Amino acid sequence: MPSKTETPSSPTGASGSAASGAQSALVELVGAKKDYPLGRTVVSALRGVDLVVRRGEFVALAGPSGSGKTTLLNLVGCVDVATAGTVRVDGHDTGRLSEKALTQLRLEALGFIFQSFNLIAVLDVFQNIEFPLLLQGKLGKGERAERVRSIVEKVGLTQQMKQRPAELSGGQRQRVAIARALVTRPRLVLADEPTANLDSETGERIIDLMRELNHTEGTTFLFSTHDPKIMTHADRVVHIADGRVLDAAAGHA
Amino acid sequence: MNLTAAGILWRIALRNVWRNRMKSLIVGFILFLGTGIIVFGNALVDAVDDGMTRSVTQSVSGHLQVYSDQAKDKLALFGDQFAGMPDIGNIPDFHALAEVARKVPNVEAVVPMGIDFALGFQGNEIDRWLARLRQAVRDGDEAKIAQRKEEVRAVIERVNAELASAAQLVAGGTEYASDMENAKRAASPEFWAAFDQDRLGNLEFLENRIAPLEQTLGDVGLMFLGTDLAAFERNFDRFELVEGTRVPEGQRGFLFNHGFYEEVMKHRVARDLDRIKRRMDERFTLADDAELRSWRDLMVGQYRRVLFQLDRQAAESVLSGLRTLLGRTDGDLPTLLQDFLKVDDANFATRYAWFYEHIAPHIQLYAANIGESIPLQAYTKAGYSKSVNVKVYGTYKFKGLEKSDIGKTFNLLDMVTFRDLYGLMTPERRAEVAALREKAGLKDVKREDAEAALFGGGGAEPLEKKAESAGFDEFGDAGVGKVVRSDALQQFDPAEIERGVALNAAVILTDSRPEKIAETRAALLAAFEAAGMKMRVVDWKEAAGMLGDLVTVARTVLWVIVVIMLLVALVIINNSMVIATMERVKEIGTMRAVGAQRSFIAALFVAETTVLGFLSGGVGALCAAGGILLWGKVGLPAQNAFMTFLFSGPRLYPTVTLSHLLAAVLLILFFALISTLYPAALAARILPRVAMSEEG
Ligand SMILES: Nc1ncnc2c1ncn2[C@@H]1O[C@H](COP(=O)(O)OP(=O)(O)OP(=O)(O)O)[C@@H](O)[C@H]1O
Ligand SMILES: [Mg+2]
């Protein structure tokens, strides 16, 4: 896993085009490119993306299939690094971080919500939510339980605490995933089509829940979606097509 | 990794083992089997090692064996499969050696030994009949003479017939010509008509010309162990007298190995009957068992061995007995004997008993009887053959090894006679003997006379005389009081056993734990070195020749099997883990995305294997232990003679120790972890971004 990129060294702090919102920028992409080798050719999934997400924003990422939404979220989510350009997350240039440091950054600053929920099958609701806290190892048992219980309450799963993922409905599972993403109180939660595997009603309720947590907890959300109805809940919609951000004003609110 | 992460890791590992039950079952079963085989195999090999150690140390070898450093070959107590008896040199002065050895701590006893091979004459039937005729002639009992003459004629006719068929086989063979002539003459009516005119002359002709023609009874090879018989019995716990008496101290004497006596020295037909009975006692039946039937048919073919040993009276009584038994009014003795020996399942028990009750008393049941002397012939070191007549006092066995070939290997002979047969006298010893003879005023005893007296008919004399009988006292401690009278020839000063040559010496230790044996061995070597003796000191495994390597070989075979098995298992475990990894890519990717480090993923796999290894290894070890405990109660029966030896008895009782179990579980665990290395590394390299993808 390459942990360093050939990104030219840039002075610390924000610079260039996104300077205006630099102070409150949680995520900042400058000319971010991502190429995937495919056989002898190369697929350019991102062809130079500039994007800023500020603290507290609730941002939707829209675009046709294959446009590069997931790729963009991967870069922001530190599960992948850009081929060129800069990706800055919570003040860290991800291209300069080691694999271990990227993992640590994910653990400390980010939360993930996946399209297919991705819960750990052998753990019950409580344990799934507790999992990132255990990896962090910062809280004592009591504090952990308190933290889990309060978030479980917020996502409305108090009754299901002892159940395994297989015993839950899709909407319930996604609530567990949301709780897991939020339990560490991350600065940014990334969600790749969080409602795609849910019926529209449940999907909307999930988005409502995310929105609510965005307000109450002040957590920043960046999520992708195909669904125009879902997009209406967002503060801002970033349109992406063919590896490029369409909206000229993407960098601004 | 922090502690709380470790906690959840074990929890996930445990639950994953349960979740992937099929995989866990397959891998677990392999680990279970592996542990079981290791525990079982080791317990078995250990038990055999222990059994063999006891078999050999308590019967022949003692804990250590000492022999000359000048030996050409290595000591091999049971012979070398390929090279026969090894040349191990000798210990010229056993007493000196024993004195040194006995001062070494932990040495309880030192016993002189020598192993050699001799031919024992089984005797000759014509000779036996002729001896009876001679006896009758000597007694002048005319009626007896007439009867014996008839019997001898009958035997000679049989020899004649045999000779004729042999001559046909080697058509034109000239060496048979004179034999045929003699046989024809001995069978002719003219010879017998004229027999009484020169009874002794004709007897001589028969004894010298005819008796040697008879070939039905061959010579028998005997392995014997010359030793200090009293010390031997004291120090080898397995020794047990079966029949007869001990050889009195200070007497020459021979003890047959009981198994050897029963199986080699016994009358052929009796042996066959015994053999059939033993197998039938093991619930084989003549109706179902082809081998048993072939033994029976072989036995029927041997009926002449009974027939020709019956004198006329015996023949008549056996014939009438057989008629009653078989319910027949016609048929001659040969026919009825054959019919009698054609046993079946229904009548075997009756006929077996009938044989011993009505036939055995009339035949020579053993080629050598207890209480009589047998001639032993051996080739001395110098290469000439030497014969000694020695009295058979009885039979002995090694307890628990009765059925084992190796437990039947040795007949026992007193050390003094052994030296005579082995023909080894050091120059010093020879000078000493000469000097003593002179001192005792025996200059007039010519060597030839002494030899004749020594190896002639002395053995037939009554031997129960005590050591204080005439001819012994006057030599006292001189140690060579054996040259005067035939009765005295069978006696010697017990001290003489020590003062002379031995080939090797067994050392028995007080504390026989392996580390103590090694320690004493080193101490013995040092003591011999200090005394200027060049000796080799070996433990029983080295002393037993090829046999001693057996346990090592068995252990090696076991481990080779285990290693092969583990390698196969490694491939299976590795494969199934790799497949499991592939099935869990998404979950692992998710853990990585959520913030688990690579090390966490690798550790998770290791933890899963550890859980599985402990569980299945533990269960495997417990099951094996339970099996061994049960087995140890019942015992594993030895299937054949060799197994009896290995097991040190008719059954093997394996035991299991906690360290056995722990070692097996740890080994399996270690091996399981090795099998996990690759899948774990693979899993740790799963990219966190796969959590995002929708495929898989
Ligand atoms: N690991 C990869 N290797 C090669 N090509 C890839 C890889 N991941 C994505 N791509 C390609 O990059 C482009 C962008 O893919 P991406 O998954 O980011 O699109 P998307 O907008 O998320 O699409 P969808 O709405 O179908 O999820 C596509 O053409 C895709 O085929
Ligand atoms: Mg996508």
Side-chain angles (χ1 to χ4, degrees):
Chain A
M1 170 104 273
S3 57
K4 302 269 186 264
T5 69
E6 68 281 11
T7 313
S9 57
S10 56
T12 357
S15 63
S17 62
S20 60
Q23 281 74 20
S24 55
L26 182 60
V27 175
E28 186 185 12
L29 280 81
V30 182
K33 291 184 179 167
K34 181 68 190 179
D35 296 337
Y36 290 113
L38 192 74
R40 292 190 160 192
T41 61
V42 168
V43 179
S44 289
L46 291 181
R47 301 163 186 261
V49 169
D50 298 323
L51 176 70
V52 170
V53 177
R54 291 189 199 83
R55 291 181 200 279
E57 271 196 300
F58 195 72
V59 181
L61 203 53
S65 190
S67 57
K69 301 185 293 293
T70 301
T71 306
L72 180 56
L73 286 173
N74 282 350
L75 294 188
V76 175
C78 300
V79 296
D80 212 343
V81 286
T83 316
T86 315
V87 177
R88 199 174 291 280
V89 177
D90 197 25
H92 300 275
D93 182 350
T94 64
R96 305 177 141 258
L97 294 180
S98 69
E99 154 70 27
K100 218 171 166 175
L102 284 173
T103 306
Q104 196 59 30
L105 185 59
R106 292 197 296 271
L107 180 61
E108 300 297 341
L110 305 179
F112 288 88
I113 300 166
F114 306 95
Q115 181 178 333
S116 44
F117 327 129
N118 294 15
L119 300 176
I120 297 170
V122 294
L123 300 181
D124 64 21
V125 167
F126 182 93
Q127 290 161 340
N128 260 290
I129 297 168
E130 190 189 25
F131 183 69
L133 289 178
L134 292 169
L135 289 179
Q136 283 185 338
K138 286 193 286 205
L139 300 180
K141 198 176 174 185
E143 284 177 285
R144 257 192 341 255
E146 194 42 53
R147 186 77 81 79
V148 173
R149 224 167 276 132
S150 78
I151 195 81
V152 162
E153 218 167 281
K154 280 178 191 141
V155 300
L157 284 175
T158 313
Q159 302 297 307
Q160 285 75 23
M161 206 109 90
K162 288 285 154 226
Q163 288 177 7
R164 293 271 181 106
E167 298 162 320
L168 302 175
S169 71
Q172 286 173 321
R173 285 187 218 180
Q174 200 59 303
R175 283 162 194 271
V176 178
I178 291 168
R180 178 178 65 185
L182 285 157
V183 75
T184 55
R185 297 186 177 152
R187 281 181 275 289
L188 172 66
V189 170
L190 300 161
D192 193 9
E193 309 201 30
T195 59
N197 281 356
L198 302 170
D199 61 81
S200 59
E201 200 183 320
T202 315
E204 268 198 82
R205 260 194 256 130
I206 289 292
I207 288 295
D208 284 341
L209 176 64
M210 284 165 56
R211 182 85 238 203
E212 191 193 325
L213 290 163
N214 168 248
H215 285 312
T216 57
E217 310 280 310
T219 312
T220 310
F221 280 83
L222 176 61
F223 63 96
S224 68
T225 184
H226 276 112
D227 190 341
K229 257 209 230 155
I230 299 292
M231 290 175 211
T232 60
H233 294 267
D235 291 341
R236 175 160 71 103
V237 179
V238 175
H239 289 278
I240 180 169
D242 203 17
R244 285 196 181 86
V245 173
L246 292 183
D247 191 349
H252 312 280
Chain B
M1 198 185 309
N2 61 65
L3 228 76
T4 52
I8 192 70
L9 180 133
W10 282 105
R11 184 173 293 171
I12 296 174
L14 247 160
R15 292 186 182 178
N16 270 331
V17 168
W18 176 244
R19 180 169 65 149
N20 305 314
R21 282 179 291 271
M22 258 336 271
K23 186 213 85 179
S24 299
L25 220 72
I26 294 168
V27 173
F29 185 66
I30 293 169
L31 298 178
F32 169 88
L33 268 189
T35 320
I37 289 175
I38 294 171
V39 171
F40 252 86
N42 268 327
L44 193 69
V45 173
D46 280 357
V48 167
D49 192 351
D50 196 52
M52 261 182 79
T53 302
R54 275 184 286 126
S55 286
V56 178
T57 55
Q58 296 172 0
S59 63
V60 181
S61 77
H63 301 111
L64 291 169
Q65 280 275 336
V66 182
Y67 65 108
S68 169
D69 195 40
Q70 252 104 63
K72 285 202 191 81
D73 302 317
K74 279 182 159 185
L75 175 64
L77 289 174
F78 301 101
D80 190 307
Q81 206 94 1
F82 306 109
M85 289 310 296
D87 182 352
I88 57 158
N90 64 67
I91 300 168
D93 186 349
F94 173 76
H95 182 70
L97 174 116
E99 283 298 289
V100 172
R102 282 172 190 139
K103 289 201 186 85
V104 172
N106 196 31
V107 169
E108 192 169 290
V110 186
V111 181
M113 287 186 171
I115 293 166
D116 201 6
F117 181 83
L119 291 176
F121 302 115
Q122 279 203 327
N124 175 306
E125 273 179 36
I126 300 183
D127 265 338
R128 259 178 227 143
W129 290 112
L130 289 174
R132 290 181 187 174
L133 177 54
R134 194 179 270 277
Q135 189 61 43
V137 169
R138 205 179 290 158
D139 297 345
D141 180 343
E142 287 304 324
K144 258 272 151 56
I145 291 172
Q147 183 197 327
R148 295 300 186 214
K149 267 164 66 183
E150 231 172 277
E151 287 160 358
V152 170
R153 271 185 84 168
V155 176
I156 287 170
E157 266 158 32
R158 170 170 59 83
V159 171
N160 227 355
E162 274 173 12
L163 215 60
S165 59
Q168 267 169 3
L169 283 175
V170 282
T174 48
E175 65 262 48
Y176 280 101
S178 67
D179 289 347
M180 290 291 288
E181 203 100 314
N182 287 330
K184 215 174 277 167
R185 186 182 151 213
S188 67
E190 297 79 38
F191 176 82
W192 289 103
F195 181 84
D196 292 341
Q197 286 160 20
D198 180 11
R199 281 174 172 164
L200 293 177
N202 285 325
L203 264 171
E204 205 160 300
F205 163 74
L206 292 173
E207 281 161 1
N208 293 337
R209 298 277 166 237
I210 304 302
L213 298 181
E214 199 221 16
Q215 284 159 357
T216 47
L217 290 176
D219 296 334
V220 59
L222 293 165
M223 281 278 275
F224 58 87
L225 173 74
T227 186
D228 178 342
L229 292 171
F232 188 88
E233 184 179 348
R234 262 200 313 279
N235 290 296
F236 290 94
D237 304 344
R238 296 276 175 142
F239 175 94
E240 189 176 274
L241 196 75
V242 181
E243 278 173 38
T245 59
R246 290 179 173 73
V247 178
E249 223 164 312
Q251 293 278 342
R252 289 163 180 268
F254 187 87
L255 288 178
F256 268 112
N257 182 300
H258 191 73
F260 180 87
Y261 190 64
E262 285 293 315
E263 283 167 33
V264 180
M265 301 305 283
K266 202 171 189 179
H267 190 282
R268 174 68 193 270
V269 172
R271 250 195 287 158
D272 283 347
L273 278 168
D274 291 348
R275 173 163 82 153
I276 292 169
K277 180 170 190 300
R278 272 198 302 274
R279 196 165 169 85
M280 286 179 72
D281 286 346
E282 289 165 16
R283 297 178 185 279
F284 286 93
T285 61
L286 278 154
D288 296 331
D289 189 52
E291 183 163 24
L292 210 43
R293 284 197 298 277
S294 85
W295 289 356
R296 189 235 356 240
D297 297 343
L298 279 175
M299 177 177 73
V300 173
Q302 298 293 328
Y303 78 97
R304 290 186 192 83
R305 291 186 191 267
V306 174
L307 186 65
F308 296 143
Q309 283 196 2
L310 299 172
D311 63 25
R312 196 198 291 166
Q313 278 167 330
E316 272 165 17
S317 98
V318 169
L319 180 63
S320 75
L322 280 177
R323 283 200 167 132
T324 318
L325 180 75
L326 302 175
R328 298 264 287 271
T329 50
D330 60 338
D332 55 5
L333 187 53
T335 320
L336 290 187
L337 258 181
Q338 289 179 69
D339 287 351
F340 171 76
L341 293 175
K342 274 182 207 132
V343 291
D344 61 31
D345 293 311
N347 64 29
F348 180 79
T350 331
R351 293 198 183 175
Y352 181 86
W354 205 89
F355 175 86
Y356 278 102
E357 195 178 336
H358 298 285
I359 297 180
H362 302 300
I363 61 175
Q364 173 112 19
L365 202 53
Y366 294 94
N369 289 323
I370 291 165
E372 290 174 4
S373 287
I374 53 159
L376 292 177
Q377 184 192 29
Y379 286 91
T380 62
K381 289 316 289 178
Y384 56 93
S385 98
K386 197 157 186 182
S387 297
V388 168
N389 262 6
V390 63
K391 181 175 169 182
V392 178
Y393 276 87
T395 64
Y396 84 97
K397 67 175 182 181
F398 288 128
K399 268 173 285 182
L401 297 178
E402 294 88 344
K403 284 197 176 142
S404 122
D405 281 341
I406 293 157
K408 289 180 218 163
T409 301
F410 297 114
N411 299 288
L412 294 180
L413 181 65
D414 72 274
M415 199 66 209
V416 173
T417 312
F418 171 83
R419 286 180 194 137
D420 286 338
L421 270 179
Y422 200 73
L424 232 172
M425 272 195 194
T426 57
E428 298 87 345
R429 178 85 179 121
R430 211 168 277 139
E432 194 188 339
V433 169
L436 285 163
R437 274 190 186 145
E438 207 162 339
K439 190 172 135 196
L442 289 169
K443 270 178 290 193
D444 52 332
V445 179
K446 283 197 207 111
R447 183 169 173 79
E448 300 88 276
D449 295 344
E451 294 268 296
L454 257 174
F455 309 120
E461 303 277 341
L463 291 153
E464 281 71 33
K465 291 185 181 162
K466 289 278 163 242
E468 58 268 15
S469 69
F472 207 98
D473 287 345
E474 38 184 313
F475 297 102
D477 287 331
V480 280
K482 61 176 181 182
V483 202
V484 189
R485 272 174 244 165
S486 58
D487 53 348
L489 286 178
Q490 294 295 321
Q491 303 172 342
F492 50 82
D493 177 355
E496 198 188 338
I497 294 170
E498 288 243 331
R499 267 187 238 113
V501 179
L503 300 193
N504 51 303
V507 180
I508 286 90
L509 305 183
T510 313
D511 185 342
S512 61
R513 282 173 300 173
E515 65 273 15
K516 273 285 173 192
I517 293 178
E519 194 184 308
T520 312
R521 177 186 174 176
L524 276 168
L525 277 170
F528 291 140
E529 178 92 57
M533 297 172 181
K534 289 193 161 44
M535 291 292 154
R536 292 182 202 168
V537 182
V538 295
D539 66 16
W540 80 263
K541 271 185 187 155
E542 290 172 72
M546 305 233 302
L547 201 69
D549 301 331
L550 213 79
V551 171
T552 318
V553 170
R555 217 176 271 284
T556 311
V557 167
L558 171 70
W559 283 110
V560 167
I561 291 173
V562 166
V563 166
I564 290 174
M565 203 189 58
L566 290 187
L567 285 180
V568 171
L570 188 133
V571 173
I572 298 175
I573 293 177
N574 184 70
N575 275 0
S576 89
M577 294 279 282
V578 168
I579 292 168
T581 308
M582 294 310 163
E583 283 167 354
R584 286 162 59 188
V585 163
K586 190 96 178 234
E587 186 173 287
I588 292 162
T590 304
M591 290 186 195
R592 294 279 286 117
V594 169
Q597 294 287 359
R598 283 180 173 177
S599 57
F600 180 90
I601 304 299
L604 179 63
F605 271 68
V606 168
E608 283 180 24
T609 309
T610 306
V611 167
L612 198 54
F614 252 122
L615 278 178
S616 40
V619 171
L622 285 182
C623 283
I628 292 167
L629 284 182
L630 249 166
W631 193 17
K633 281 223 172 69
V634 187
L636 173 76
Q639 301 292 334
N640 54 43
F642 187 62
M643 280 169 82
T644 309
F645 172 78
L646 292 183
F647 294 3
S648 189
R651 272 165 186 275
L652 185 70
Y653 299 95
T655 54
V656 66
T657 61
L658 199 64
S659 57
H660 264 138
L661 299 181
L662 269 174
V665 173
L666 287 181
L667 181 76
I668 276 294
L669 204 61
F670 171 75
F671 152 80
L673 289 177
I674 298 248
S675 319
T676 313
L677 286 184
Y678 175 71
L682 203 66
R685 287 172 57 180
I686 288 173
L687 298 175
R689 74 161 189 250
V690 302
M692 303 290 235
S693 69
E694 276 313 292
E695 314 89 57

